Structure formats: structure tokens, C-alpha cells
Amino acid sequence: MERARSFGAVAEDYERFRPGYPDALVVLVNEVADGPVRRAIEIGAGTGKATRTFAAAGIEVVATDPDADMLSVLRRECSGLPVTTVRAALEELDPAAYEPFDLLYAAAAWHWTTPATRWDLATALVRDGGAVAFFGGPFVLADVEVAAVEDELIAAYAPEGRHVPAPSAVDAPMLFPGDEMLADGRLYDVREREVPRRFTLARADYVRHLDTISAVRILPAADRSALLADLAAALPDQVEVCADLMVHTARRARRRD
């Protein structure tokens, strides 16, 4: 998918202008896992924003991503931490090549995986009683009037909007991927929680952040430049951003012989 592979060209901006992740995520994972979490595999690690949070807690992380440029930044930023990297998408991983992990997680990346195979692979990579965790959420401007201006400008160049639509049904019992986790008999104790985050960003930094969004990255160069210029002209000097994380965790059920 073009959008899924669009980040490498702006790996340095992704690292600079995307936020990191709070230590609270490690706490939530430890609450659901049966036994200690010592080893983890991360899907779609990017430049290592979440990798650092888990590795800094003493967890050995195998960070996977299909983009060499993103992994290059990750290795630099995670220097000295217990992190190894694998250049691969989830679908390219062979679970038989690894001892089952205590944890599999993805930060704002699970929606890029293939629906038909993602849960088979995820559960094969995790030990009995181990945990899976998925977290993410879009930046949303707090001022609704400013947000409406932003939406109008983006729609002029990218009619589908800036966000990848969540694949959940309207009446789903949980947001994606919680709905799919509930339906998979290999996972239980599925939990959905929200971790509030608020940021104040300078206009220039916010616009640079938008330039790391897939919907913007895939635009023709002239359209992308015009959109970013329009946004820079329309937005206030400082913007307030809501970036709450929706966190889904579950435990891997025991395999049946």
C-alpha cells in the first residue's frame, strides 16, 4: 500500500515532529500479561518512538519495520538500549524463527497490517499468557473552528481526508482493533482504555508534523507544497492539539494441543 510505505522520505521529520509515548503504556501491558514482560516484538516501529519507551523499561525489543530509512533513525535514537532491528512487515515475519515473545505491540501501525493474516501471525509470535498491545490516535486541533479550516484545506487536495478510516463497524463493541481482538478466541481479557495527551505546538512545527501524515505524503509534490503553504497561512501562531491514545490490550490464551 502506497500510504503505508510513504514515511521513509521524511524519516527525520517523523522523528522530530511526531510525539513519543508515555511510560503508562508499559504499566498497562504489565497489568494484562501473565508473568513478566522481558522480551517484545514491535510491528511498524518507525523511528522508534514507542521502542524507546519499552526498551527504557528494561524490555528487550525486536523492532520491525519495512522501511530502511525509518530503521536507520531508530537505530541511532535507540543506541545503548536493548533493541535489535528487523527490516520486515508483519507479513514477512516467520514466527518459527523466534522464541515466542512476552509481548507484541504496535504504535499507530496495526491498521497497515493485512486483516486476513494479522491475528494468526500475532498470536503465533506471542507465548501463552503473553500480551498484545495496540495504541494510537490522530492529532486533532482543539479549536473546532480552526480544525474546520484545516479540514477544508486538506480536502481540497486530498478528498479522502487526512486520516485512514478505522475499519470498525459503527455498532462495534470496541474501536479497532479491539473489535477484532474480542472476536478472536486466542485472545482474552481484552481491554480498551484511553490515555489523555495534550500538546501546544508552534504553527511551523504543526505544519511539519502534517507533512509526515500519509495522506499528505502521497500527494503530488506541487499539491503537497501548495497545501502546506495554505495551512501555514491559515493557522494561528500556536495550536492546541488533542492527541489522546486509545490503548487496546489482551492476553494470549493457552494453545490447545
Side-chain angles (χ1 to χ4, degrees):
M1 180 188 294
E2 183 184 7
R3 288 183 71 152
R5 303 296 179 105
S6 64
F7 303 108
V10 286
E12 293 292 350
D13 277 1
Y14 194 103
E15 171 58 29
R16 179 177 176 184
F17 298 108
R18 292 262 186 144
Y21 292 94
D23 295 340
L25 295 175
V26 180
V27 176
L28 295 179
V29 166
N30 283 329
E31 287 178 357
V32 76
D34 181 7
V37 177
R38 297 191 177 98
R39 298 173 57 251
I41 184 166
E42 180 178 4
I43 306 304
T47 63
K49 291 290 188 178
T51 318
R52 274 159 274 178
T53 298
F54 287 87
I59 299 171
E60 297 179 9
V61 179
V62 175
T64 72
D65 196 279
D67 193 287
D69 292 324
M70 300 290 271
L71 287 178
S72 178
V73 176
L74 182 151
R75 285 190 288 269
R76 182 191 72 209
E77 296 298 321
C78 293
S79 177
L81 292 172
V83 175
T84 58
T85 59
V86 175
R87 184 183 177 186
L90 172 67
E91 295 75 19
E92 297 167 321
L93 296 174
D94 177 9
Y98 301 94
E99 287 294 321
F101 292 90
D102 303 313
L103 166 67
L104 177 144
Y105 70 93
W110 197 245
H111 56 287
W112 298 124
T113 60
T114 301
T117 57
R118 56 184 165 220
W119 298 112
D120 290 341
L121 290 166
T123 54
L125 286 162
V126 176
R127 64 166 172 82
D128 291 357
V132 295
F134 310 97
F135 41 91
F139 267 35
V140 179
L141 291 173
D143 187 315
V144 294
E145 293 183 359
V146 177
V149 171
E150 177 194 71
D151 288 344
E152 183 177 352
L153 290 173
I154 291 176
Y157 296 92
E160 65 183 18
R162 58 175 285 194
H163 303 303
V164 177
S168 302
V170 175
D171 59 350
M174 283 188 183
L175 297 174
F176 174 85
D179 53 343
E180 294 184 2
M181 295 162 73
L182 287 169
D184 193 300
R186 294 164 293 191
L187 300 173
Y188 71 103
D189 193 15
V190 180
R191 306 181 187 184
E192 179 179 80
R193 286 164 289 191
E194 193 170 35
V195 177
R197 295 192 303 175
R198 299 290 186 275
F199 300 97
T200 299
L201 299 177
R203 174 177 56 208
D205 287 352
Y206 180 71
V207 172
R208 292 286 291 276
H209 164 82
L210 289 177
D211 195 27
T212 71
I213 300 295
S214 61
V216 176
R217 293 307 314 156
I218 64 173
L219 293 174
D223 287 352
R224 186 170 68 249
S225 295
L227 170 59
L228 296 176
D230 289 348
L231 288 164
L235 297 176
D237 292 341
Q238 300 279 328
V239 294
E240 299 291 331
V241 179
C242 302
D244 297 345
L245 291 174
M246 189 60 67
V247 183
H248 292 91
T249 58
R251 190 179 307 169
R252 172 66 166 94
R254 184 171 297 280
R255 293 165 175 80
R256 297 177 180 176
D257 296 331

